[in-house]
């Protein structure tokens, strides 16, 4: 039995997370250095970059066509943003973000963690790439499937979320359901009554991680219910963080970013991206999920729809990608 997972657009959770990351980056990097646009990269092993290799052996027309196919757009960058919070070394959330500074828009696509991928010659869920080789292998795997480069990576330890909530002295939040859950293996206990509460970091993290109660009750739909709670809570965090009373806490926010974010972007790059993201604004940031269907034990990407999504939102090249550029396992 298969189940189609349609693209979900305009996710407040993703928008707010991304803006907070870039805003913190701008504050952190802007205080230390000048703004500088990142460099653009190519797909690993791209023959168009091998001047003395295969390209030089092709007829002139074919060589020029190949190089043209790999010509980059100006001011267009791809960044893989991953979040870890499970304590087991896995990336719980993976979003490939396209920043199109020239046209003033940002688009992020969620990559389901159970997506089928070929890693080290064997079939795995794509989340295994992070466990096997960190962000470098995960980025290579994503790039290989979608036929586009991953220019940079950002790894966020979501414990930083907990630290941020503490830094703003907690958040008033309406807990939407009774929560009664225990996981002895993780040492996790979540016990809250439905209603308004003032939540500090540790409790806030429990609320947004909650899926269902010990008896299976709860939201009724684990993922949709948890997503809505995360969206609502992050709206509350963003509203409280961006108040005049918190202007004197910029240094605290900078320290949180420094402690909980790992990236191969330089401080100059982060400052530039933060400035661009703030200028672009939330109305020009959109999100979806790679189009797919479920057939145990994997999620399979829809090749035609994925190609269309890549060309519409994620492609950093001037020319459209073609089916041969993608490498999606069936």
């Amino acid at each position: 039995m298969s189940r189609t997972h349609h693209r979900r657009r305009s996710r407040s959770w993703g928008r707010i997370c991304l803006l907070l990351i870039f805003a913190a980056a701008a504050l952190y990097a802007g205080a230390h250095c000048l703004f500088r646009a990142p460099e653009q990269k190519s797909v690993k092993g791209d023959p168009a970059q091998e001047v003395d290799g295969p390209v030089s052996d092709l007829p002139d027309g074919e060589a020029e066509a190949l190089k043209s196919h790999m010509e980059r757009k100006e001011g267009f960058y791809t960044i893989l943003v991953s979040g870890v919070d499970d304590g087991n070394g896995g990336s719980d959330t993976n979003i490939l973000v396209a920043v199109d500074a020239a046209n003033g828009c940002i688009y992020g696509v969620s990559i389901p963690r159970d997506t089928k991928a070929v890693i080290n010659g064997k079939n795995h869920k794509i989340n295994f790439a992070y466990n096997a080789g960190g962000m470098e292998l995960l980025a290579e795997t994503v790039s290989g499937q979608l036929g586009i480069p991953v220019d940079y990576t950002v790894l966020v330890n979501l414990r930083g979320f907990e630290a941020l909530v503490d830094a703003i002295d907690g958040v008033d939040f309406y807990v939407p359901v009774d929560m009664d859950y225990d996981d002895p293996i993780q040492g996790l206990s979540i016990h809250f009554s439905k209603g308004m509460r003032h939540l500090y970091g540790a409790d806030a993290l429990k609320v947004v991680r909650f899926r269902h109660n010990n008896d299976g009750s709860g939201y009724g739909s684990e993922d949709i219910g948890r997503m809505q709670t995360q969206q609502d809570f992050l709206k509350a965090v963003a509203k409280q963080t961006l108040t005049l009373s918190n202007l004197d806490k910029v240094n605290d926010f900078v320290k949180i970013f420094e402690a909980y974010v790992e990236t191969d972007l330089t401080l100059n790059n982060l400052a530039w991206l933060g400035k661009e993201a703030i200028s672009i604004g939330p109305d020009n940031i959109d999100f979806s999920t790679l189009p797919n269907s479920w057939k145990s034990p994997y999620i399979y990407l829809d090749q035609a729809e994925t190609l269309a999504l890549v060309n519409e939102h994620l492609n950093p090249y001037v020319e459209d990608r073609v089916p041969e550029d993608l490498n999606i396992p069936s």
Side-chain angles (χ1 to χ4, degrees):
M1 180 176 180
S2 65
R3 183 174 73 252
T4 299
H5 296 247
H6 298 288
R7 287 184 279 174
R8 300 188 182 102
R9 303 177 63 85
S10 304
R11 290 189 173 181
S12 299
W13 160 267
R15 289 185 179 190
I16 296 169
C17 275
L18 193 61
L19 279 177
L20 288 176
I21 289 171
F22 281 140
L27 289 171
Y28 176 59
H32 292 79
C33 56
L34 298 174
F35 298 101
R36 181 178 300 166
E39 296 181 2
Q40 296 175 324
K41 298 183 180 179
S42 60
V43 174
K44 187 175 182 180
D46 172 12
Q49 305 300 321
E50 300 173 12
V51 178
D52 297 324
V55 171
S56 62
D57 297 331
L58 294 174
D60 289 343
E62 291 184 30
E64 289 304 315
L66 181 56
K67 289 183 178 180
S68 176
H69 192 59
M70 295 299 181
E71 180 184 354
R72 294 280 305 239
K73 300 173 184 174
E74 292 290 335
F76 196 110
Y77 306 92
T78 56
I79 304 169
L80 181 61
V81 180
S82 298
V84 291
D85 73 342
D86 59 10
N88 297 312
S91 55
D92 189 61
T93 301
N94 299 296
I95 303 173
L96 183 62
V97 178
V99 178
D100 186 353
N103 292 302
C105 59
I106 295 175
Y107 194 90
V109 60
S110 294
I111 304 167
R113 60 185 302 167
D114 291 341
T115 299
K116 184 179 182 180
V118 178
I119 302 168
N120 296 329
K122 296 181 179 180
N123 292 333
H124 291 281
K125 296 178 180 179
I126 202 166
N127 192 54
F128 176 78
Y130 179 84
N131 294 321
M135 290 300 291
E136 181 178 0
L137 182 56
L138 179 60
E140 287 181 10
T141 304
V142 171
S143 175
Q145 287 206 357
L146 301 184
I148 55 177
V150 173
D151 291 324
Y152 297 96
T153 62
V154 175
L155 180 65
V156 183
N157 185 322
L158 296 185
R159 294 291 174 179
F161 164 81
E162 179 179 331
L164 175 62
V165 174
D166 283 337
I168 60 176
D169 300 321
V171 174
D172 290 326
F173 184 72
Y174 187 86
V175 177
V177 296
D178 290 333
M179 298 181 176
D180 183 23
Y181 176 77
D182 298 282
D183 184 344
I185 296 177
Q186 293 191 58
L188 179 63
S189 294
I190 304 175
H191 300 285
F192 299 100
S193 298
K194 178 179 178 180
M196 183 63 70
R197 298 179 63 95
H198 188 78
L199 299 173
Y200 288 96
D203 285 345
L205 191 57
K206 290 179 180 180
V207 167
V208 299
R209 291 181 67 182
F210 174 80
R211 291 177 181 273
H212 58 77
N213 291 312
N214 292 327
D215 63 3
S217 64
Y219 291 124
S221 178
E222 295 180 16
D223 290 337
I224 295 175
R226 186 171 76 149
M227 185 190 311
Q228 185 62 55
T229 297
Q230 290 172 341
Q231 292 173 357
D232 292 341
F233 191 85
L234 283 169
K235 290 175 186 177
V237 171
K239 182 178 180 180
Q240 186 161 329
T241 301
L242 302 176
T243 61
L244 292 176
S245 62
N246 281 320
L247 289 179
D248 61 347
K249 297 179 180 178
V250 168
N251 286 336
D252 293 333
F253 299 156
V254 166
K255 291 177 182 177
I256 291 170
F257 180 85
E258 186 174 23
Y260 293 104
V261 176
E262 298 178 16
T263 180
D264 54 357
L265 288 157
T266 68
L267 296 179
N268 311 72
N269 299 156
L270 288 167
W272 187 88
L273 286 167
K275 175 175 64 69
E276 292 296 319
I278 292 171
S279 175
I280 288 171
D283 290 341
N284 293 309
I285 300 177
D286 204 358
F287 285 82
S288 70
T289 299
L290 287 176
N292 62 81
S293 60
W294 165 261
K295 184 178 180 181
S296 183
Y298 300 112
I299 283 176
Y300 291 81
L301 298 184
D302 182 291
Q303 302 207 25
E305 289 189 23
T306 296
L307 177 62
L309 185 149
V310 166
N311 282 326
E312 183 177 359
H313 297 294
L314 305 175
N315 182 18
Y317 296 115
V318 174
E319 291 187 3
D320 278 355
R321 300 299 88 186
V322 296
E324 291 75 17
D325 291 314
L326 278 61
N327 186 20
I328 297 173
S330 57

